[in-house]
Amino acid sequence: AARAGAVVLVHMEPWHESMAAIATGHWDRYLRRFAAQVRRYGSQVILSFAPEADGRWYPWGWQHTNPTEWVAAWRHVVSLFRAEGAINVTWLWDMSGKNGATGPVRDWWPGPQYVNWIGIDGYYVSRADTFRSVIGLSVGKIRRFTRKPILLSEVGIGPRAGQAEKIPGLFTGIRRNHLLGLIWFDVTQNRGLYHQDWRLDDHPAAVAAFRVGVRSLR
């Protein structure tokens, strides 16, 4: 990644441990090894811990984990990495865009001293979806309590939403809201409305629109 001039982003997904156990140090040995590796790497590493906690689809998220325990775990992980000298980490607090299965986003806020960037994940799944409905409303909620920079850390527009038609509006929204940029979810799922083929491959009009959008961010 470094040789290619890329910045590494790692989503730490604690599938098999509770937030309470992490907060009380049960995984400190592992975390110290990880922090040492990041420190030795030296270049910028973006770390997202237990992402999309405001959604109910992950065991560490809404309706599964108490937000107080989640916040304690987040603060513990950040504090441990800093104590180990991994100061090259950009901490990305990663929440969800529009979704009917999300709770109050502010409940998961660990405080400005523990966060560098905000991440928002959102997907256009139907023709009715727009930047405002998928991303903009979440930006508005988050802006009520922090002015930290925002990255669209996971975003996709499905074929059912109309990729080529919706991509220009996505980039317009990024510019108007002064967001850092985006990471496109370039994955094929093909499992219904919420798991479409998000790739741009084989869609020349979508690729062309995406290239125009990327150039507009410069």
Side-chain angles (χ1 to χ4, degrees):
R3 285 195 297 269
V7 175
V8 176
L9 186 153
V10 178
H11 291 285
M12 303 169 66
E13 299 186 346
W15 282 98
H16 304 295
E17 190 55 89
S18 71
M19 293 298 100
I22 293 170
T24 55
H26 183 74
W27 282 94
D28 280 6
R29 184 177 178 184
Y30 164 77
L31 290 169
R32 287 194 181 97
R33 288 201 310 269
F34 191 180
Q37 292 166 350
V38 171
R39 184 187 68 243
R40 287 195 296 268
Y41 174 63
S43 297
Q44 182 189 18
V45 177
I46 303 169
L47 289 184
S48 163
F49 173 73
E52 299 181 5
D54 59 329
R56 65 185 180 196
W57 44 86
Y58 289 132
W60 56 80
W62 180 53
Q63 296 186 344
H64 301 285
T65 295
N66 186 305
T68 301
E69 293 179 353
W70 189 94
V71 166
W74 174 278
R75 290 176 175 175
H76 179 79
V77 172
V78 172
S79 297
L80 185 148
F81 269 71
R82 289 173 175 170
E84 294 297 314
I87 58 173
N88 52 317
V89 174
T90 297
W91 290 100
L92 179 73
W93 184 72
D94 191 354
M95 295 289 123
S96 303
K98 183 197 77 171
N99 194 297
T102 55
V105 67
R106 190 165 187 172
D107 289 355
W108 310 90
W109 179 238
Q113 64 270 41
Y114 295 97
V115 175
N116 301 114
W117 291 357
I118 309 298
I120 296 178
D121 299 347
Y123 292 86
Y124 295 52
V125 300
S126 71
R127 294 280 178 179
D129 287 333
T130 64
F131 180 89
R132 182 180 185 277
S133 66
V134 175
I135 304 294
L137 294 176
S138 294
V139 171
K141 291 177 183 178
I142 290 168
R143 283 289 179 245
R144 293 172 190 165
F145 57 87
T146 181
R147 301 300 299 180
K148 296 281 186 178
I150 295 177
L151 172 71
L152 299 188
S153 44
E154 190 177 296
V155 65
I157 300 175
R160 300 190 193 185
Q163 285 181 327
E165 294 85 355
K166 295 295 176 69
I167 285 173
L170 171 64
F171 282 95
T172 298
I174 291 172
R175 295 193 306 272
R176 287 179 176 172
N177 289 273
H178 308 290
L179 308 185
L180 291 172
L182 79 162
I183 298 173
W184 187 270
F185 191 67
D186 196 48
V187 174
T188 301
Q189 293 181 315
N190 291 325
R191 298 197 312 273
L193 182 63
Y194 298 102
H195 298 88
Q196 300 180 36
D197 182 354
W198 309 106
R199 299 175 307 158
L200 301 178
D201 308 56
D202 303 321
H203 301 283
V207 171
F210 192 86
R211 286 174 173 163
V212 170
V214 169
R215 287 195 294 269
S216 76
L217 298 183
R218 295 175 181 172

